[in-house]
Amino acid sequence: MRRPIPLAAAVALVVTTGAAPASAVPATAAAGAANAAERVETPVTSSSPVTEVTESAVRLKIPLPASAGPRPEACDWLSYLRFRHKDGPAASARADRILVAQPGVLEGAGAFNSVARNTIAQAAKGGKYVEFWALDRRSNCLEDNTGVLAGLAAGDAHLAVDYYYRKKPIDGRTFAGYQSNDQVTFLQNVGLAQTIRDQYDLMAAEIPDQAQRKRLMMCGGHSLGGVLTGFFSKWDFDGDRSTTADAGYNQCSGYFALDTRIQTGLPGLEGQVPAELIPLIKFGADAVRTGLENGIVPRTLSAPAVINSETMNLLSIAGLAARLAPGGRSDLATYIPESFNTDTTYRLLFSKDLATFIKGSPKIQDFAFTNAAALGALMDDDSEPLAFIQTSVGFFDGGRIVDKDFPVPNDLAKAGLPFLRNLLGTENKAIPDEPNGPLYTWRNYDDVAGLPYKSKDGTLFTTPETEVTDIAELARSLSEHPLDFTEDYFPTKIVTDIALAAAPGIADPAVHDGGIKANPTINLEGGDGIGFTDPQPGDVIAPGYQHLDVLTAAAVQNGGKPELISTSLARFATG
């Protein structure tokens, strides 16, 4: 049953407002934090079954430099979700360990909900109190989560849709619209260096003593977060490479990689850039910088459909509907007003073959889904075509299911080509095939045994061994955090800086070449994940896990097995 929170409290948690929430707890909640006027910590109400873990949203006023240019006041704050055991110390400085996690591309702090809670609970079984800090990138200051949080508080997903699409105010606040390229000019200056500096400044503000940080903190992340951690480990933060107390590797006692690697380059190419290519790279870096300044290069990672601020927010709304009424009939595809973005996104995600996509019929509105089935269709590895968005949350039920041969036929996608695996994932894709027919329901990850649905190659679309994430937990992670699961405004400059890091002026402070190897590392990989690199000795491989499953997997797996990623991470953190 939903555990409601007051509407005013939900709206107060939205980090896009510059004012401190009225329910803020004193800065003394974490030893060594900035003064009370500069730090706000707000409890977060959760319906997670892992009730022994408490959650709060922490905001610290750490302004951007003046050179970043004009920006909203909220963007001079850094934020993270703080997870800790309810019986553990209130002060972070007294924890046994603090895990500091960088999110991946298009990913926010809320994505770490399940792995954070499960890791903390596992550590407590061994008598250790671990905290997990899920970082939110500075650019998420531009998000407005009012509609989703208010819809959760009121128990009505339509409230969220009305807020974002019909200009209906909530407590006097009206949605200002999704930010255009011209409205986010300052993000052309928020790239790799600023992101790395933000992590350091936040860690130093919360735990000012360097020796204590080194002892307490482990640094890591998911997907792109592994690359950011690699750069962090090599970074020199005081401008004097002869002093090392400020070096990134001396802020952490170890590293953790969640379906990624702790590295600073593209897989297989780290450190392999010939010196003679540096001038060419510099030319490319100058061109990108000019493009960002002129707005020719989009300042946030976006596309006309599927990947943009609106569709990222749509995932939160779908999660909200599945959170409130999983078995209720979904009407979001009809209640949300039609637009080029939504129509194209639906056609790309819900066409069973090229002919259906071109003709636009049958369309998603012709099918009946429960809210849980609609969310599963958007994010399950047997339906969602993009590997970096996939989770293993169960399967459809209730009607005829056929192969989904769009955007790529299943037989081609399964041909073993690394590019297609990394782009589309490893599973045959499936889609309902009875328009104007039955209500399609959803079988959760622990309820797929005996499902008869087979691909045209004769194999079952799914088995219990490849399902690992509870769809109810996924829905919670998408909809109940003030710092949400998705990232609506990912700065393009972060990825262009990483690609062009060898160019002068981009990653010049990354001078401590031994930083990555200076601390122990645990690599926690999804067995069916994106596969940035081939498995290496010592890797923890979680069979059946997709790229997001390393964050979202349920605490208890099929067959009663404990969740592998969080148990391994807890053991590493407390060992």
Side-chain angles (χ1 to χ4, degrees), residues 363-400:
K363 56 187 179 180
I364 184 64
Q365 291 88 347
D366 296 328
F367 293 84
F369 294 98
T370 64
N371 287 313
L375 178 59
L378 286 168
M379 295 191 70
D380 186 67
D381 59 344
D382 296 304
S383 177
E384 164 60 52
L386 297 176
F388 73 95
I389 304 178
Q390 292 173 4
T391 56
S392 306
V393 289
F395 199 75
F396 299 105
D397 200 7
R400 185 169 65 248

Side-chain angles (χ1 to χ4, degrees), residues 4 9 72 104 113 136 159 190 217 297 302 399 420 431 454 497 525 543:
N113 172 55
D136 216 38
L159 187 65
V190 179
M217 293 183 163
V297 175
S302 62
L420 288 179
I431 193 168
K454 291 184 178 181
D497 280 356
E525 309 293 338

Side-chain angles (χ1 to χ4, degrees), residues 14 50 63 66 84 109 112 203 223 236 274 311 315 364 372 391 408 448 452 479 490-491 510 523 542 545 562:
V14 180
V50 189
R84 67 181 184 88
F112 290 97
M203 291 167 63
S223 193
D236 186 88
T311 51
L315 290 179
I364 184 64
T391 56
V408 175
V448 300
S479 62
F490 177 83
N523 294 307
Y545 283 48

